[in-house]
């Protein structure tokens, strides 16, 4: 059973840790690999107006890295 | 009576069909390593591998594989290719791995108790906690001989020897003094089974109340029986949890452990592609992968390092890597022969 990537903006602090931790994001965007926010909506998720938003969730491989790093359980797989 | 049933117990499942013969497929989720070999092997695409990375890393209460009982034809192929025996297939209550007609992977892990010195290195190293070493240590009193005596008339009950004794062999009966008995101790006892005749008490006694001598030091060890110094014990490998990774064989200082792995192959990590997310490190059932520490400041180590001595080439890391930085090749499959060409072909198709 394939899991699904979910976000809850109510919990999100907009810290962007998930954006940087995500290995798929880092392989798509050089800025992310360098520890910065993404400049392209090609990445799975990015912080927009202070909250996390999913842009290309279909690219997610369900590795669980974002969930491990999120300090507020605002992004998870289920 | 013909019946088809599927029973799901927590994360495990059991699919069975009773007709002329009873066929059962049993799955144990806690043994499954999430390699996905069963999914690739299933001829009717009944098995689906879950989101292994997320399941393992977030401890999700979801089974690692699911089997669609409408599709499953109970052929048993998944059970013979499973490198860790998480899937068991029985025909009339007999495991097909024990039947000559069916092929099975050749793998084993053994510890030779004749050679084993019971150091427990394998028990500590085993990534699956499958090894238990039970050992009986020699009796300390049989490894040293000597004499010790405390002159209770001279002793001032200071307790220094009791505190100093490294073997906890001296016990003082402490008490509060009364006008009837103005002493601070009622007795001092030396446990000769614990005493190692190191003479620390004798040297630290402020009033020279202790007479002690180590016979091994003065006369040598001729009166000690070398057999009394031997540690005896027994080793046990839980074959259910063991994945035949080879850690015990590699770490054993006396070559007492022998492991036969079912697959031979190659594992390679593309350091350029790797984003160091750690999914492979977490998923590997054999502790093959790790993040290396930097050898010196300013030195950039490899992102993920691997030691193939412990790899079983199951491919779980390759499946879970989000950026396709890992490649696992299986070059040889060790299995018992079968007359069935289709089964033989399936076994050989595990080569990549």
């Amino acid at each position: 059973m394939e899991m699904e990537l979910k976000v809850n903006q109510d919990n999100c602090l907009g810290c962007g840790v998930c954006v940087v931790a995500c290995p798929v994001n880092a392989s798509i965007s050089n800025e992310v690999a360098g520890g910065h926010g993404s400049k392209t909506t090609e990445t799975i998720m990015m912080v927009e107006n202070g909250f996390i938003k999913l842009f290309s969730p279909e690219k997610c491989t369900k590795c669980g890295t974002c969930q491990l790093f999120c300090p507020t359980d605002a992004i998870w797989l289920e | 009576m013909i019946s088809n049933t599927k029973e799901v117990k927590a994360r495990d499942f059991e699919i069975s069909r009773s007709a002329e013969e009873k066929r059962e497929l049993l799955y144990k989720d806690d043994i499954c390593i999430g390699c996905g070999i069963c999914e690739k092997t299933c001829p009717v695409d009944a098995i689906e591998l879950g989101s292994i990375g997320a399941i393992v890393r977030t401890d999700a209460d979801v089974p690692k594989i699911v089997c669609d009982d409408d599709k499953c034809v109970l052929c048993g192929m998944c059970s013979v290719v499973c490198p860790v025996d998480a899937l068991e297939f029985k025909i009339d209550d007999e495991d097909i791995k024990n039947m000559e007609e069916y092929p099975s992977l050749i793998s084993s892990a053994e510890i030779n108790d004749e050679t084993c010195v019971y150091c427990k290195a394998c028990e500590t190293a085993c990534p699956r906690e499958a090894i238990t070493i039970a050992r009986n240590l020699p009796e300390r009193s049989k490894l040293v001989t000597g004499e010790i005596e405390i002159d209770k008339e001279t002793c001032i009950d200071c307790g220094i020897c009791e505190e100093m004794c490294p073997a906890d062999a001296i016990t003082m009966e402490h008490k509060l003094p009364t006008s009837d008995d103005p002493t601070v101790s009622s007795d001092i006892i030396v446990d000769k089974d614990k005493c190692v005749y190191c003479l620390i008490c004798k040297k630290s006694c402020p009033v020279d109340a202790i007479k002690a001598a180590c016979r091994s030091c003065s006369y040598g060890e001729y009166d000690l029986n070398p057999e009394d110094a031997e540690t005896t014990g027994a080793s046990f490998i839980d074959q259910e949890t063991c994945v035949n990774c080879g850690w015990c064989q590699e770490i054993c200082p006396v070559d007492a452990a022998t492991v036969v792995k079912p697959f031979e192959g190659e594992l390679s990590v593309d350091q350029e592609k790797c984003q160091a997310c750690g999914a492979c490190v977490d998923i590997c059932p054999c502790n093959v992968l790790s993040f290396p520490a930097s050898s010196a400041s300013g030195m950039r180590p490899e992102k993920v390092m691997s030691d193939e001595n412990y790899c079983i080439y199951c491919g779980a890391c390759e499946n879970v890597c989000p950026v396709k930085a890992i490649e696992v090749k299986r070059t040889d499959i060790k299995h018992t022969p079968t007359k069935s060409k289709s089964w033989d072909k399936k076994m050989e198709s595990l080569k990549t």
Side-chain angles (χ1 to χ4, degrees):
Chain A
M1 269 186 304
E2 189 84 329
M3 289 165 118
E4 211 179 311
L5 183 62
K6 304 225 164 148
V7 291
N8 180 348
Q9 294 195 335
D10 291 343
N11 288 0
C12 182
L13 301 171
C15 68
V17 163
C18 58
V19 180
V20 179
C22 172
V24 178
N25 279 359
S27 66
I28 293 170
S29 156
N30 280 333
E31 300 86 60
V32 172
H36 297 278
S38 167
K39 283 182 185 158
T40 159
T41 51
E42 288 297 304
T43 53
I44 295 174
M45 75 293 251
M46 61 194 262
V47 178
E48 193 183 63
N49 301 324
F51 298 106
I52 192 67
K53 196 178 161 191
L54 298 178
F55 286 89
S56 308
E58 73 285 353
K59 290 180 186 165
C60 174
T61 67
K62 282 88 184 174
C63 72
T65 309
C66 55
Q67 185 174 343
L68 292 182
F69 281 91
C70 177
T72 58
D73 297 330
I75 186 161
W76 73 96
L77 287 145
E78 73 169 38
Chain B
M1 200 187 91
I2 297 174
S3 71
N4 290 310
T5 59
K6 181 180 184 181
E7 202 180 329
V8 178
K9 297 172 195 155
R11 282 179 282 180
D12 301 346
F13 64 74
E14 203 176 313
I15 297 172
S16 64
R17 186 174 67 214
S18 312
E20 276 174 22
E21 53 180 20
K22 192 170 95 185
R23 298 170 82 91
E24 290 169 287
L25 176 65
L26 299 101
Y27 165 69
K28 288 182 184 158
D29 192 67
D30 57 335
I31 297 169
C32 175
I33 54 174
C35 67
I37 290 177
C38 54
E39 184 191 49
K40 285 178 197 133
T41 308
C42 178
V44 293
D45 292 331
I47 297 178
E48 193 189 338
L49 183 68
S51 305
I52 291 301
I55 292 170
V56 171
R57 302 176 88 196
T58 66
D59 210 14
D61 192 18
V62 183
K64 297 186 192 87
I65 63 166
V66 284
C67 184
D68 184 342
D69 57 325
D70 286 335
K71 288 184 185 167
C72 176
V73 293
L74 287 161
C75 66
M77 267 178 187
C78 54
S79 96
V80 301
V81 295
C82 176
V84 295
D85 295 339
L87 288 154
E88 199 180 346
F89 190 73
K90 289 179 180 172
I91 298 175
D92 288 334
D93 295 320
E94 199 189 340
D95 193 329
I96 61 166
K97 287 187 200 95
N98 303 327
M99 297 183 191
E100 234 175 67
E101 311 88 286
Y102 289 92
S104 60
L105 293 175
I106 299 169
S107 63
S108 62
E110 279 167 22
I111 295 172
N112 183 350
D113 276 356
E114 298 286 308
T115 329
C116 178
V117 292
Y118 310 104
C119 70
K120 293 195 179 200
C122 56
E123 186 182 294
T124 313
C126 177
R128 307 286 283 176
E129 292 178 16
I131 303 178
T132 310
I133 301 291
R135 67 182 179 195
N136 303 311
L137 298 173
E139 271 178 61
R140 202 186 274 175
S141 59
K142 287 187 178 166
L143 307 184
V144 281
T145 58
E147 275 157 54
I148 181 162
E149 207 182 314
I150 299 178
D151 179 1
K152 289 175 188 167
E153 292 301 311
T154 320
C155 174
I156 55 168
D157 306 328
C158 65
I160 289 176
C161 57
E162 185 190 29
E163 273 184 52
M164 292 288 285
C165 178
D168 287 332
I170 303 176
T171 319
M172 254 182 79
E173 307 280 348
H174 298 273
K175 74 178 213 10
L176 289 172
T178 58
S179 55
D180 171 47
D181 178 11
T183 58
V184 289
S185 163
S186 57
D187 204 359
I188 181 161
I189 302 149
V190 179
D191 183 341
K192 289 189 177 165
D193 282 335
K194 286 186 179 173
C195 178
V196 295
Y197 306 100
C198 68
L199 314 184
I200 293 276
C201 55
K202 180 184 168 185
K203 287 170 196 159
S204 58
C205 177
V207 291
D208 289 333
I210 303 176
K211 286 193 186 94
C214 170
R215 285 239 300 274
S216 318
C217 295
S218 357
Y219 305 113
E221 294 177 355
Y222 69 92
D223 56 351
L224 298 176
N225 183 355
E227 275 177 26
D228 289 336
E230 267 171 40
T231 296
T232 57
S235 61
F236 173 75
I237 302 181
D238 181 355
Q239 297 297 341
E240 196 170 52
T241 37
C242 171
V243 293
N244 306 307
C245 65
W247 263 102
C248 50
Q249 180 176 291
E250 289 296 319
I251 208 153
C252 179
V254 292
D255 296 332
T258 317
V259 175
V260 178
K261 299 184 192 191
F263 307 139
E264 295 290 332
E266 278 166 45
L267 165 75
S268 52
V269 182
D270 185 333
Q271 301 292 337
E272 289 296 311
K273 282 188 189 165
C274 175
Q275 301 293 343
C277 70
C280 57
V281 177
D282 291 340
I283 201 83
C284 176
C286 312
N287 276 353
V288 168
L289 298 146
S290 58
F291 289 126
S294 181
S295 54
S297 57
M299 290 295 288
R300 218 167 100 177
E302 289 184 322
K303 284 176 187 158
V304 166
M305 66 161 289
S306 60
D307 188 334
E308 282 191 53
N309 277 331
Y310 315 117
C311 185
I312 57 170
Y313 307 101
C314 69
C317 54
E318 180 181 308
N319 287 345
V320 86
C321 177
V323 292
K324 298 191 167 42
I326 301 182
E327 194 184 8
V328 176
K329 272 190 199 161
R330 277 186 291 270
T331 51
D332 190 27
I333 315 294
K334 286 176 223 148
H335 65 89
T336 56
T338 174
K339 282 177 188 156
S340 160
K341 281 192 178 135
S342 57
W343 280 67
D344 196 55
K345 218 169 128 189
K346 268 288 176 196
M347 298 305 277
E348 292 303 310
S349 74
L350 296 176
K351 286 183 190 167
T352 47

